[in-house]
Amino acid sequence: MSVDWEESACALCGELDGTSVLAIPQPDAPAGVAHLWQCRSCGLRRLNPRPSPGALGHYYALAQGYNAFLGRTRSPHVQRVWDFLRDAHSRPPSLRGWRRIVAPLAAPIARWAFDINLRLDGPRPPRVLEIGSGYGDILIYLQQRGCDVLGVDPSPQAAEAGRRHGIDIRVGCVADLQLPDASFDAVILCHSLEHVPDPNRELGEAARLLRPEGQLHLAVPNGHAVRLTLDGLHWAHLSHPLHLWYFDARSLTRLLARHRLVPIRPPVTTSRHHPFQHGCREFLHGQPLAATRQLLRFLSASLRTPDGGDVLRLIAAKSPTPDPAPPPVPDTPA
């Protein structure tokens, strides 16, 4: 089957030129290779060339095991633990008794384990939109805690899985829904912004749909992650050709500012289990020295690059002024 690929321009500055950070073998691409491409002007990293918008469905059809499409597969016991950890951070009114007492001890685990954590201890449950919701795992939890939720995702398969859990997930793009202005307290983009051909469209809609005191909760792969440098093609978040953008804190903050979205605190990066899974696989395959060497390299590089975690997390609010000045973000080494 012939699949169309295209050159991509930078979403932040429109620049075409740049340098290859990583060559990615891709038989469908021109010359059989795609690149993790770093913009010459602003430094934002992207996949170039990339599948055309009409061809992306072909690659998602191949990714049948993609976790956003699967629905919940945890056992009831594990799900109860999962929900309690979310409660420990979110503090819904239903959190009472010994759970409320233990919650402060479990909250740091929740902050480490979950890329998106909404507080639910306000005067009323928030109305929440998730863009790129998959089957709606986060929305299932929030709805069970009294929130009014809506999801949107391009995948009919994911939407159907969410509906089986009673979640309203619309198929398509958020702009197609023509939702009213300022109609949500929170908008979530959890590992979805890196998938869209034009992130400005999604961020523009998120800003339009947020109420004046609302917040955007966002998580994306960190385009300057330590493990990207160490693992290259084997980095867990490379996910080519489904991931089209690889933001760092500086480029993401600048892109948000274009849409009057300003971080309420500095962006943070985090790594969870992936480095250790990689090391365990090498141990199990009889390569203890290689695994030890990799772990030491990871720890050494992490100490030198404290913002080099695998995932970039950010919470932003809509600025009332037309041209917000984003908070300073340290330069990320090229």
Side-chain angles (χ1 to χ4, degrees):
M1 175 182 176
S2 175
V3 180
D4 292 331
W5 282 58
E6 62 183 18
E7 295 292 317
S8 63
C10 177
L12 183 56
C13 68
E15 179 67 66
L16 291 171
D17 202 4
T19 57
S20 175
V21 176
L22 180 68
I24 305 171
Q26 188 62 247
D28 298 330
V33 63
H35 296 273
L36 200 167
W37 196 253
Q38 182 163 308
C39 178
R40 180 185 64 176
S41 177
C42 69
L44 172 59
R45 293 178 172 182
R46 66 187 191 271
L47 183 67
N48 188 44
R50 69 187 188 188
S52 67
L56 282 171
H58 166 73
Y59 294 101
Y60 281 101
L62 296 177
Q64 292 298 316
Y66 207 70
N67 62 354
F69 299 168
L70 296 180
R72 292 194 174 190
T73 57
R74 308 179 192 107
S75 70
H77 174 70
V78 171
Q79 188 62 54
R80 283 193 293 271
V81 174
W82 214 251
D83 290 343
F84 169 68
L85 288 176
R86 284 204 179 276
D87 284 344
H89 181 277
S90 300
R91 292 301 194 95
S94 58
L95 187 63
R96 298 189 179 123
W98 68 267
R99 290 179 173 83
R100 192 168 187 85
I101 296 172
V102 176
L105 301 176
I109 301 175
R111 286 193 293 271
W112 170 77
F114 304 118
D115 290 327
I116 301 295
N117 290 286
L118 272 68
R119 292 301 296 258
L120 302 177
D121 52 357
R124 60 179 177 81
R127 186 165 192 241
V128 182
L129 168 70
E130 184 172 9
I131 301 173
S133 62
Y135 68 86
D137 188 43
I138 299 172
L139 299 180
I140 295 169
Y141 166 78
L142 292 173
Q143 183 170 273
Q144 291 172 346
R145 298 307 183 267
C147 299
D148 180 11
V149 303
L150 175 66
V152 58
D153 195 276
S155 167
Q157 177 187 354
E160 178 57 32
R163 289 171 188 148
R164 287 197 291 270
H165 291 279
I167 302 298
D168 183 5
I169 297 178
R170 316 281 176 84
V171 178
C173 299
V174 64
D176 299 333
L177 303 185
Q178 299 183 341
L179 298 167
D181 291 355
S183 51
F184 292 92
D185 302 295
V187 174
I188 297 171
L189 284 153
C190 183
H191 292 278
S192 56
L193 193 65
E194 66 271 21
H195 288 262
V196 299
D198 181 7
N200 284 292
R201 183 175 65 170
E202 264 64 25
L203 291 176
E205 279 294 288
R208 183 182 69 81
L209 294 170
L210 277 172
R211 291 173 177 154
E213 302 300 319
Q215 292 183 344
L216 172 70
H217 293 254
L218 193 151
V220 292
N222 179 14
H224 285 268
V226 165
R227 289 235 67 99
L228 171 59
T229 302
L230 296 179
D231 293 348
L233 295 173
H234 302 290
W235 183 45
H237 291 278
L238 190 63
S239 294
H240 62 88
L242 303 183
H243 287 181
L244 308 180
W245 306 97
Y246 300 88
F247 301 97
D248 65 349
R250 184 176 181 81
S251 61
L252 184 58
T253 301
R254 289 182 62 194
L255 192 66
L256 289 170
R258 175 179 294 174
H259 303 282
R260 298 172 54 194
L261 294 164
V262 181
I264 64 174
R265 62 179 69 94
V268 298
T269 68
T270 182
S271 289
R272 296 202 301 270
H273 52 279
H274 298 105
F276 305 100
Q277 283 182 330
H278 184 77
C280 288
R281 281 197 299 268
E282 290 195 325
F283 269 112
L284 292 174
H285 286 88
Q287 298 176 322
L289 291 178
T292 302
R293 190 161 52 245
Q294 281 281 356
L295 181 59
L296 291 175
R297 286 179 64 203
F298 171 70
L299 293 174
S300 174
S302 297
L303 290 173
R304 296 194 308 271
T305 313
D307 59 348
D310 284 327
V311 175
L312 176 62
R313 301 174 179 176
L314 185 148
I315 303 173
K318 185 161 60 173
S319 170
T321 60
D323 296 302
V329 179
D331 288 326
T332 305

